[in-house]
Each structure stands twice: as structure tokens, then as C-alpha cells.
Amino acid sequence: MAAVGDGPWLDDAAGRLVRPFTVSNGRTRPTIALDLLSHVMATGATPLGYLGPEHAQALDLCRAPVSVAEVAAQLKLPAVVTKVLLSDLVDCGALTTKPPEFHHNPTDRALLEAVLDGLRRQL
């Protein structure tokens, strides 16, 4: 049984009835560079032209700043498809984007070793 709000897009037996790349019209490259940790937020501007239901869902999720990864998870779409949808919304002025901010070096050797040590203890 489909979850409330999923409408005809999901079916327990068949899975997603509309294939992910159909949502992006087969496009696999966003028009702007988006990282999974990039934040997107609605600008309040009304998008011009027709946007599909997934665009509207994505825009609704972006009322507050949210990461690209979170939008993809909420939409249950692959990250690359979500990036295409979000770039469409940025292109029409409905979203703004901000690159991720790192207050530390994400490839710091000590940090990576601590993560690896923690993972080893879990196994």
C-alpha cells in the first residue's frame, strides 16, 4: 500500500511506478554544481513555466535550509536525479543554494583514523 501523499507514484508490489530518470526527462547532469552537503532553500519566488510534481515536492521540502542529500532521501529519488530537479528550481529562481561549510578539514587524517577506529569497534 502506498504511503499517504504518495498517490499513484509508489506501489508496494511494483515499487516506483514512474522511473527516476523519467522525472528528470532523462537528464543526468544538473546545470549547476551541487554537492550532497550543499544547502538549498526556497526564495519565495514563483517558478515560471510548468514544473512536475517532484519539483513541487522538492520546493516544499526547501522552505527551510536543507541539504541535497536530505531532499533526495525525502523524495526517495537517486541523488543525481534530485540534483537535476534542484538545479531546475535554482535556474528558475525558486531556490537558492549555498555550498557546504566545513569548520574543519574533512580529510584530516586524525579524524579519518578516529572514524575508522570507531567502525572497527562496532564490528
Side-chain angles (χ1 to χ4, degrees):
M1 176 129 248
V4 175
D6 287 335
W9 304 110
L10 295 174
D11 181 286
D12 282 345
R16 182 176 269 286
L17 297 178
V18 175
R19 296 293 170 225
F21 289 96
T22 303
V23 172
S24 63
N25 293 325
R27 294 174 294 147
T28 59
R29 297 192 192 276
T31 57
I32 60 169
L34 287 171
D35 186 276
L36 286 176
L37 298 177
S38 295
H39 280 88
V40 288
M41 184 174 172
T43 62
T46 304
L48 299 175
Y50 172 76
L51 295 177
E54 289 82 5
H55 285 93
Q57 289 174 333
L59 189 56
D60 188 51
L61 291 170
C62 298
R63 285 177 274 144
V66 62
S67 71
V68 171
E70 181 65 23
V71 175
Q74 292 292 323
L75 293 177
K76 298 180 178 102
L77 287 171
V80 68
V81 173
T82 302
K83 288 179 181 182
V84 170
L85 294 176
L86 294 175
S87 71
D88 290 347
L89 291 167
V90 170
D91 291 344
C92 72
L95 284 184
T96 186
T97 182
K98 186 171 108 175
E101 293 179 11
F102 293 108
H103 300 291
H104 63 282
N105 181 2
T107 57
D108 177 50
R109 184 174 180 90
L111 175 64
L112 294 174
E113 287 175 355
V115 169
L116 182 60
D117 184 51
L119 290 171
R120 284 183 179 146
R121 279 188 256 139
Q122 294 294 321
L123 297 176

